[in-house]
Amino acid sequence: MTMKKILVPTIILLLVLGWGNIIGGNARERKSYNEHMSNAKAFDKKEIYIDALDQYKKALEFTKDKLSVEEAILDDYLNLKKYKEFEKQGSMILENYNYPKEITKKIVDYYMERKQSANALKVVNAYLERQPNDDNFLELQGKLRGVYTEIYFAGASIDEFYNGFYVFTNNDKKGLMKSDGSEKIKSQYDEILPYGKEPNYAAVCKDGDWYYIEKNGYKKLLPDFKVDLLGVFGNKLAPYKTGEKYSYIDEFAKKATELTYDFAGGFANKRAAVKKDGKWAIIKNDFSQVTDFIYDDVITDDFGFATSQNVYIAKLDGKYHIFDLDGNMMGSEGFDDAKAFVSDDTAAVKINNRWCFANKNGEIELMTEYKNAKSFSNGFAAVYDGKKWGYINKKATVVIDFEFSEAGCFNSSGVAAVKKGTWKFIKLVE
């Protein structure tokens, strides 16, 4: 018998024996897996979770399809109120199995029930990074982003923010406050405006005298002529008022121009809105005109800025329109009323007695039925239902209920000033 004739049967025999061992081994593993799973489920039924947990862990050793077993372990950690183990197990599953939807929702629900909204939002955000078009989780994200905490404030009022500061009133005096509720400048002035940009001074009035203070509250700058009002600095210029006329001072508090107006707004992006003889125009910071005095109105924010967001809203031929910084109309849609842009988000505009929201291209992105509204910022807009103010997201879902008598816009840190009995700050979960 040749060597070849001997080797072929031998190899076949070895292969048969090898496959037999594999098949036999697989059968034994399957049997062990089924036994442990059966025991675990029996213990679960009797609510003997500690023994069920032990059986599930043993079952893991005998299967490659581990996800369902890992989920059962997760459930029993929760049944046993082993919260640290539940959270650790949950994190492992999410990372190792790429955020399976049902388990992700289970973990989110756990955090929400324990009022850990920030943790719930982190899980939802991570899931949406992988599944960005999941409508259920997008809606959940919107609701979670509307969860907030309150920051105590013991004053009479809080105005809108600018450049990181709020004007607040306490005991009939005004000061400046940061969005964490801490005082930057104590309430000691008859009037105060937020710190400007270029230079970083704040206009104040005390005992009838207007001047500017620097960041530590020390007097820094004052005109050498009589003024009845000082405005917020921007682009090294600030408006002032003497008698019935407005003009501008430079960074040294010297008159920057001999031109006068019936109103002069603050400069932002080297543009400002001015009014003369009942009409409005946009000017540059060299006092040349971007437009003629053609507008019936220009929308400014609480501190006189019209162009902070690189566009402005003005009334022309009976309708408000959005314009770029060079005076070009954006879109053809006209509005009956409007609020200033406060961020890159949409602005509140009114059409046929309905408040809606338009982007910087003049396009309507969202229609609502609310009685009043404020512009979007940080993904939310304050809206008024006729009785109270609340907040909606960009899908018009109410994310903070109608519970405030006053409601401000959210700043970039997720803080807004609201009035509910008393004034306070609310801060969105992160």
Side-chain angles (χ1 to χ4, degrees):
M1 182 180 295
T2 66
M3 182 62 69
K4 183 176 181 181
K5 289 182 178 180
I6 295 173
L7 284 174
V8 170
T10 302
I11 292 171
I12 292 173
L13 178 61
L14 290 173
L15 287 172
V16 169
L17 290 173
W19 280 109
N21 287 333
I22 292 172
I23 293 170
N26 286 343
R28 287 191 296 273
E29 288 186 358
R30 174 56 56 180
K31 181 180 179 182
S32 296
Y33 169 80
N34 288 336
E35 286 178 355
H36 289 304
M37 290 298 292
S38 178
N39 291 338
K41 290 175 181 178
F43 283 127
D44 270 339
K45 191 173 182 179
K46 296 176 181 179
E47 298 182 356
I48 306 175
Y49 301 121
I50 191 69
D51 288 340
L53 192 62
D54 181 62
Q55 290 296 310
Y56 282 129
K57 290 180 178 179
K58 290 179 178 178
L60 279 176
E61 301 174 13
F62 300 100
T63 181
K64 294 180 179 179
D65 300 323
K66 299 181 183 295
L67 180 57
S68 60
V69 187
E70 299 283 18
E71 183 178 7
I73 292 171
L74 181 75
D75 292 339
D76 275 345
Y77 277 138
L78 191 58
N79 289 331
L80 290 166
K81 298 182 179 179
K82 291 190 172 187
Y83 300 126
K84 288 184 178 180
E85 288 85 348
F86 175 89
E87 292 171 14
K88 184 177 179 181
Q89 177 76 2
S91 296
M92 181 276 295
I93 292 175
L94 297 180
E95 292 299 325
N96 290 352
Y97 296 92
N98 200 29
Y99 284 73
K101 182 173 183 176
E102 295 305 320
I103 298 178
T104 302
K105 182 60 168 59
K106 186 179 294 187
I107 293 169
V108 170
D109 289 343
Y110 160 82
Y111 283 124
M112 291 176 65
E113 288 171 6
R114 293 177 64 80
K115 302 187 184 303
Q116 297 180 25
S117 300
N119 288 333
L121 182 58
K122 287 178 182 177
V123 175
V124 170
N125 289 342
Y127 175 85
L128 286 172
E129 288 178 3
R130 295 159 174 81
Q131 301 292 337
N133 298 317
D134 190 309
D135 289 337
N136 292 330
F137 272 80
L138 285 170
E139 182 177 357
L140 186 58
Q141 182 190 53
K143 290 179 178 179
L144 281 168
R145 286 202 66 222
V147 177
Y148 65 85
T149 57
E150 293 185 356
I151 302 172
Y152 177 73
F153 169 70
S157 69
I158 309 173
D159 292 342
E160 288 288 5
F161 66 94
Y162 177 76
N163 199 19
F165 293 97
Y166 294 80
V167 175
F168 74 96
T169 303
N170 194 19
N171 296 324
D172 295 325
K173 295 294 183 180
K174 296 185 177 183
L176 291 181
M177 180 179 293
K178 297 179 181 179
S179 58
D180 62 1
S182 62
E183 291 183 359
K184 174 63 175 178
I185 301 297
K186 293 185 180 297
S187 53
Q188 57 184 301
Y189 296 102
D190 301 319
E191 296 291 342
I192 190 169
L193 297 176
Y195 284 97
K197 301 176 181 178
E198 300 179 279
N200 192 217
Y201 302 149
V204 299
C205 179
K206 193 170 187 178
D207 300 327
D209 293 326
W210 281 90
Y211 52 92
Y212 288 94
I213 59 174
E214 47 87 77
K215 63 180 181 179
N216 294 313
Y218 299 118
K219 183 185 287 190
K220 179 67 178 180
L221 194 68
L222 66 160
D224 57 7
F225 55 93
K226 175 65 176 176
V227 297
D228 298 312
L229 176 70
L230 289 173
V232 181
F233 266 107
N235 301 141
K236 299 183 179 180
L237 295 166
Y240 72 88
K241 182 182 180 184
T242 297
E244 298 301 319
K245 292 296 182 180
Y246 287 78
S247 191
Y248 291 93
I249 58 172
D250 62 20
E251 60 187 311
F252 306 107
K254 303 298 183 183
K255 289 183 179 181
T257 177
E258 294 301 322
L259 294 171
T260 60
Y261 308 95
D262 299 331
F263 175 84
F267 276 96
N269 298 304
K270 300 182 179 180
R271 303 289 191 276
V274 293
K275 183 180 181 181
K276 192 171 185 178
D277 298 327
K279 290 290 186 177
W280 292 73
I282 301 297
I283 62 173
K284 294 182 180 180
N285 62 332
D286 63 1
F287 305 108
S288 63
Q289 291 185 206
V290 176
T291 72
D292 291 331
F293 286 88
I294 56 175
Y295 302 120
D296 298 316
D297 188 23
V298 174
I299 301 295
T300 61
D301 63 22
D302 288 354
F303 303 108
F305 293 98
T307 56
S308 295
Q309 303 302 320
N310 292 300
V311 294
Y312 63 93
I313 304 175
K315 191 175 185 180
L316 184 64
D317 297 328
K319 293 287 185 180
Y320 287 93
H321 297 272
I322 298 171
F323 298 84
D324 68 16
L325 293 179
D326 294 322
N328 300 307
M329 186 182 295
M330 308 296 289
S332 58
E333 189 77 61
F335 317 121
D336 301 322
D337 200 355
K339 305 288 179 69
F341 283 94
V342 295
S343 70
D344 284 332
D345 281 339
T346 53
V349 296
K350 192 176 185 181
I351 302 176
N352 297 327
N353 292 319
R354 297 175 64 190
W355 280 96
C356 47
F357 297 90
N359 62 30
K360 292 182 179 180
N361 293 321
E363 302 161 338
I364 300 298
E365 289 193 359
L366 182 64
M367 298 289 294
T368 75
E369 300 289 340
Y370 293 109
K371 304 294 184 183
N372 202 349
K374 296 184 180 181
S375 298
F376 266 94
S377 61
N378 208 339
F380 297 108
V383 290
Y384 182 66
D385 68 357
K387 296 180 179 179
K388 296 286 186 179
W389 287 86
Y391 291 87
I392 60 172
N393 63 16
K394 290 185 177 181
K395 291 192 173 184
T397 301
V398 176
V399 293
I400 299 179
D401 287 336
F402 296 90
E403 53 185 309
F404 309 111
S405 55
E406 299 286 347
C409 298
F410 280 101
N411 65 19
S412 59
S413 299
V415 174
V418 298
K419 187 176 183 181
K420 185 180 178 182
T422 61
W423 280 93
K424 63 188 71 177
F425 291 113
I426 58 175
K427 181 174 175 57
L428 300 170
V429 299
E430 298 178 350

